[in-house]
């Protein structure tokens, strides 16, 4: 029953309202407390990352227990059994424990959570910064794109005007400029002239003196400089007061002039020329020049400068190329003229060679004949003078002709084997008469190791020795003359630029001619070898001579890969002429000098040799036939190449064909004969008879398969030699 | 009798020498003479008669070619000149050959006046030579008739 106890009796009937409210509140608190963890669990499960699960569990436990406590509280409003009180106490105790634990845990957690917040703020700031930078980069990239586009436009042309015009247009477009102008320096360099503008079609021919401070300021730096809109370079339009002029920027554009590229001019790098580019923002727009825009302008200015310099280089190289082409044309003409001149000279020489010598010989021969007839002393004197003069003239002509050919390089040595000792003796025999008359004893010393049979150009060597010894005799009035010949090794007396090295089958012959005559002034020695130079005055010249002798000798010596020089101690002390020439050592000792004459006389008799002669010219045909018949051959003749092909057989050993007729390809027949006779031993030998035996003719003959070439008209000896050589060796190329 | 032969021989020698020295003949003629032997005793005469016939023919051709009214075919003339040059150089007719060389150049230059003049010179020249050689042969005949032998004339 209702005992009065010390426990608090819920005054249910009296405070029923309060109780009811408490009851309800507790109930709701319990519900809330139970639902919060559920919500938490739900949302955490949803989110993938939540680092504080343990805390959650704790928190959840705390809340659940609190809720449990409040729930259990519901039962304590009415009388409750001890179990309920026990459960309540347990719940409370647990709650207390957990909440304390949670409280303790939170001490650790909350700073972390707070710092998360800080980090979040930090990241937000960073993101904002990055956004800003992105914006900047994007702007820069835009700028870069603009620059690239501009550059591409500017550099896509090499024409100066287009470059400048395009620059202004593109800049105007990119930067949305109101006006853009370019001032170029005038020729004098003292003023700047308005050359190009963007908007105005026909700019007024403005000039501005170059020494303005604002201009100097701009020219002084490579950066874009903001200038006042009122400065003379910026005042391009008539100013009316309404406008608030936009900001103006000016930049310099270096100009490279053509003269900078010419190396031999004085270097003008210090006085650079600049053009001025002025850019105006639209008025009344309150736009400002941004840094990246200024940079853009500077970059463009540089590019323009480069493009202009390229254009200048191109102009220059075009000019140089045109100049070169002109020069080439001129050179070509000059070369052709020179060639024509040389050809004319050679033609002239060729004619002179024969035609002029003939009358000379006639004069000389007839004068000699005349000498042998009965003459009065006066007549004899006259005839002798004629003879002497004509001999002189003949020698002169020969010298000049020889020298011309030598200088051409067209003279070639005619090598042959000859007896060196005999040559020297012959020379001496030729000179002896004159020397005896002048009472000049001549001695000849031949070194014991001097080879007897050598290979070289006998005629020319004799000419050289004769010339030197002759000079010695000519210019000596008394004394003796000694001629020494020896084989030389490297000798320190030779001029320093020439070294003598005897090679295997060659040796160097040294000839020294010493006289005790007039001598030569050492200063005159270099002149000796020049053409037409005489050391003595005309009055003292006792004998004739063109002064060419030594020049010719020198050329011959050079052709023989040698050297010639003269030593003299002075006037009146005599002189020594020395020359070295390269000669070959002959292995065989031949009796005669002509190697073409065979040692065995087997083929001298050509009895019964069957040959074929093809010649369109009846007279030539007959003569050639007569020649061959005289040699004993059996000769058949034909007068055309068709007939020749028909008649030719393997019995014919040699076919002589005339290839003189111009315009007709006589050489074809050689090819046809080759075709006809496939076996080499059956084919007859082919010899061409032609009017000239120059190199080109010989090459042509060789290319058409001919075995030999003969110059018409052929002499008997020549024909004999040719035939024997041909039959012996089956090939022959010789010139007459 | 011997003196007469000797005189004829001397005359002959001088005549031949003069022919050479006056440029009528050159070394080729010497060669030609050297080909004459017992095997072909009239070789020189045969060759020379063939040559002079050739001259007549070629000169006639050239005269006709140059006589043409209208355009003259210089290549035709040139071909004939070439033939004549070849013939004259084969027999050693020096002057004729020299004229032929000039003639050839005139043909190449298509110089009508020059060609006509040159042709006349060639005509005169070969006829002169023919006459001279005829004299030479007559001398030879005289020597042989007088009982002597024709001397070999050494030109040099």
């Amino acid at each position: 029953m209702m005992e009065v106890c010390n426990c608090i009796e819920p005054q249910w009937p009296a405070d029923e309202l309060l109780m009811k409210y408490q009851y309800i509140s507790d109930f709701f608190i319990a519900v809330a407390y139970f639902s919060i963890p559920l919500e938490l669990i739900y949302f955490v499960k949803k989110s993938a990352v939540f680092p504080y699960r343990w805390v959650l569990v704790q928190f959840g436990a705390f809340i659940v227990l609190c809720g449990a406590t409040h729930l259990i509280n519901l039962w304590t409003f009415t009388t409750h059994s001890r179990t309920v009180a026990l459960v309540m106490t347990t719940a409370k105790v647990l709650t207390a424990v957990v909440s304390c634990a949670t409280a303790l845990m939170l001490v650790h957690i909350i700073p972390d959570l707070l710092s998360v917040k800080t980090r979040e703020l930090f990241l937000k700031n960073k993101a904002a910064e990055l956004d800003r930078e992105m914006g900047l980069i994007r702007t820069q990239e835009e700028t870069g794109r603009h620059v690239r586009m501009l550059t591409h436009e500017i550099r896509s042309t090499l024409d100066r005007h287009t470059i400048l015009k395009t620059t202004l247009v593109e800049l105007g477009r990119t930067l949305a400029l109101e006006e853009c102008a370019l001032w170029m320096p005038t020729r004098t360099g003292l003023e700047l002239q308005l050359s190009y503008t963007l908007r105005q079609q026909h700019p007024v021919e403005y000039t501005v003196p170059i020494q303005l401070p604002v201009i100097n300021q701009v020219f002084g730096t490579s950066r874009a400089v903001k200038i006042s809109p009122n400065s003379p370079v910026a005042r391009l339009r008539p100013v009316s007061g309404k406008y608030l002029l936009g900001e103006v920027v000016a930049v310099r554009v270096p100009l490279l002039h053509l003269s900078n590229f010419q190396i031999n001019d004085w270097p003008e790098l210090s006085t650079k020329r600049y053009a001025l580019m002025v850019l105006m923002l639209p008025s009344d727009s309150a736009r400002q020049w941004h840094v990246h825009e200024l940079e853009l302008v500077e970059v463009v200015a540089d590019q323009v400068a480069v493009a202009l310099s390229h254009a200048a280089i191109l102009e220059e190289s075009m000019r140089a190329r045109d100049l070169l082409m002109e020069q080439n044309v001129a050179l070509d003409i000059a070369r052709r003229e020179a060639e024509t001149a040389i050809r004319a000279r050679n033609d002239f020489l060729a004619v002179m060679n024969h035609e002029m010598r003939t009358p000379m010989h006639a004069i000389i021969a007839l004068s000699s004949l005349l000498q042998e007839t009965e003459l009065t002393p006066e007549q004899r004197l006259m005839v002798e003078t004629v003879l002497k003069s004509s001999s002189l003239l003949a020698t002169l002509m020969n010298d000049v002709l020889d020298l011309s050919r030598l200088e051409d390089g067209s003279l070639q040595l005619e090598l042959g084997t000859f007896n060196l000792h005999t040559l020297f003796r012959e020379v001496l025999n030729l000179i002896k008469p004159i020397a005896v008359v002048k009472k000049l004893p001549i001695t000849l010393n031949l070194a014991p190791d001097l080879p007897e049979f050598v290979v070289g150009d006998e005629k020319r060597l004799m000419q050289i020795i004769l010339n030197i010894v002759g000079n010695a005799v000519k210019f000596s009035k008394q004394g003796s003359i000694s001629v020494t010949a020896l084989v030389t090794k490297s000798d320190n007396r030779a001029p320093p630029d020439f070294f003598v090295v005897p090679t295997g089958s060659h040796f160097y012959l040294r000839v020294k001619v010493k006289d005790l005559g007039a001598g030569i002034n050492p200063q005159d020695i270099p002149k000796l070898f020049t053409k037409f130079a005489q050391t003595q005055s005309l009055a003292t010249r006792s004998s004739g001579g063109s002064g060419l002798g030594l020049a010719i000798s020198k050329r011959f010596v050079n052709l023989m890969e040698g050297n010639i020089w003269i030593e003299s101690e002075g006037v009146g002390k005599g002189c020594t002429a020395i020359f070295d020439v390269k000669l070959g050592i002959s292995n065989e000792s031949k009796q005669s000098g002509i190697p073409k004459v065979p040692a065995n006389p087997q083929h001298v008799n050509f009895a019964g040799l069957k040959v074929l002669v093809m010649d369109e010219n009846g007279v030539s045909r007959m003569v050639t036939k007569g020649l061959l018949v005289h040699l004993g051959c059996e000769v058949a003749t034909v007068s055309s190449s068709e007939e020749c092909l028909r008649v030719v057989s393997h019995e014919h050993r040699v076919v002589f064909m005339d290839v003189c007729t111009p315009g007709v390809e006589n050489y074809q027949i050689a090819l046809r004969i080759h075709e006809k006779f496939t076996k080499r031993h059956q084919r007859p030998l082919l010899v061409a008879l032609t009017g000239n035996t120059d190199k080109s003719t010989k090459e042509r003959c060789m290319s058409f398969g001919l075995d030999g070439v003969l110059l018409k008209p052929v002499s008997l000896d020549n024909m004999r030699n040719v035939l024997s050589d041909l039959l012996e060796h089956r090939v022959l190329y010789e010139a007459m | 009798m011997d003196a007469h032969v000797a005189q004829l021989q001397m005359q002959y020698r001088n005549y031949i020498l003069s022919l050479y020295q006056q440029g009528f003949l050159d070394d080729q003629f010497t060669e030609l003479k050297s080909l004459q032997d017992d095997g072909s005793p009239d070789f020189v005469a045969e060759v020379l008669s063939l040559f002079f016939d050739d001259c007549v023919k070629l000169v006639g051709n050239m005269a006709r070619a140059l006589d043409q009214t209208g355009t003259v075919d210089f290549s035709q003339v040139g071909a004939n000149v070439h033939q004549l040059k070849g013939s004259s150089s084969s027999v050693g007719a020096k002057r004729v050959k020299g004229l032929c060389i000039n003639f050839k150049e005139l043909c190449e230059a298509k110089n009508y006046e020059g060609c006509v003049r040159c042709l006349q010179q060639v005509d005169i020249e070969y006829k002169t030579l023919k006459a001279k050689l005829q004299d030479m042969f007559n001398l030879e005949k005289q020597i042989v008739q007088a009982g002597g032998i024709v001397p070999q004339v050494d030109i040099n």
Side-chain angles (χ1 to χ4, degrees), chain A residues 309-601:
Chain A
S309 66
H310 284 186
I313 292 175
L314 181 73
E315 263 178 58
E316 175 70 21
S317 78
M318 291 288 224
R319 221 166 47 90
R321 192 194 64 173
D322 286 337
L323 202 67
L324 268 175
M325 280 204 327
E326 271 175 37
Q327 280 178 346
N328 269 357
V329 167
L331 274 173
D332 208 26
I333 294 176
R335 181 179 61 95
R336 254 178 282 151
E337 279 178 16
E339 278 179 3
T340 320
I342 289 178
R343 249 181 310 199
R345 202 256 332 244
N346 284 347
D347 287 340
F348 166 71
L349 279 179
V351 168
M352 261 222 342
N353 196 12
H354 214 155
E355 308 303 324
M356 269 178 66
R357 286 190 205 205
T358 318
M360 281 313 310
H361 287 156
I363 296 174
I364 294 175
L366 290 173
S367 315
S368 329
L369 273 181
L370 195 57
Q371 256 188 341
E372 286 174 27
T373 62
E374 302 244 351
L375 296 170
T376 66
E378 297 95 37
Q379 284 176 322
R380 190 162 289 276
L381 202 61
M382 285 194 263
V383 170
E384 269 173 18
T385 317
V386 168
L387 248 180
K388 241 192 278 186
S389 314
S390 42
S391 298
L392 192 60
L393 192 58
T395 318
L396 186 63
M397 265 175 14
N398 285 340
D399 280 354
V400 172
L401 287 170
D402 264 347
L403 197 60
S404 309
R405 278 198 302 158
L406 273 174
E407 293 199 311
D408 251 3
S410 58
L411 192 75
Q412 280 168 330
L413 293 176
E414 290 163 16
L415 298 174
T417 313
F418 60 94
N419 189 328
L420 195 61
H421 295 225
T422 319
L423 183 114
F424 277 104
R425 274 192 278 275
E426 265 180 47
V427 169
L428 242 66
N429 287 340
L430 282 170
I431 293 288
K432 256 210 177 41
I434 312 175
V436 161
V437 162
K438 285 182 96 171
K439 296 204 179 44
L440 301 164
I442 304 188
T443 50
L444 173 66
N445 302 315
L446 298 178
D449 60 345
L450 198 69
E452 194 175 340
F453 292 100
V454 298
V455 177
D457 192 331
E458 180 185 14
K459 190 173 82 164
R460 307 271 165 58
L461 185 62
M462 188 187 299
Q463 213 171 328
I464 298 170
I465 305 175
L466 255 179
N467 180 256
I468 306 271
V469 178
N471 277 350
V473 170
K474 225 194 290 183
F475 293 113
S476 299
K477 296 210 176 66
Q478 83 280 346
S480 69
I481 298 177
S482 77
V483 180
T484 319
L486 40 97
V487 174
T488 184
K489 291 108 187 145
S490 67
D491 190 353
N492 54 0
R493 285 189 67 198
D497 58 346
F498 180 67
F499 295 102
V500 173
V501 175
T503 55
S505 60
H506 295 98
F507 74 101
Y508 280 87
L509 166 74
R510 172 167 292 188
V511 177
K512 282 199 264 206
V513 177
K514 190 167 160 56
D515 73 62
L516 297 166
I520 300 171
N521 196 332
Q523 290 169 339
D524 286 338
I525 290 186
K527 277 194 275 176
L528 281 172
F529 292 103
T530 54
K531 295 187 287 188
F532 308 116
Q534 299 273 13
T535 53
Q536 296 164 317
S537 65
L538 289 160
T540 58
R541 234 187 325 149
S542 52
S543 56
S546 53
L548 283 178
L550 274 178
I552 293 182
S553 299
K554 184 176 161 91
R555 290 238 169 34
F556 282 143
V557 167
N558 286 341
L559 264 179
M560 295 185 194
E561 295 177 51
N563 208 351
I564 179 170
W565 68 99
I566 292 193
E567 296 168 5
S568 171
E569 317 219 344
V571 176
K573 301 208 178 91
C575 79
T576 312
I578 312 175
F579 71 87
D580 295 330
V581 287
K582 188 175 177 187
L583 296 170
I585 303 176
S586 164
N587 293 327
E588 334 157 25
S589 71
K590 294 232 173 132
Q591 292 302 321
S592 72
I594 309 168
K596 292 193 200 69
V597 173
N600 48 342

Side-chain angles (χ1 to χ4, degrees), chain A residues 668-683:
Chain A
Q668 290 291 342
I669 176 157
L671 294 174
R672 307 265 285 282
I673 291 184
H674 272 267
E675 284 168 25
K676 191 166 170 178
F677 298 93
T678 45
K679 293 208 187 65
R680 198 156 182 265
H681 66 271
Q682 275 187 352
R683 179 174 68 79

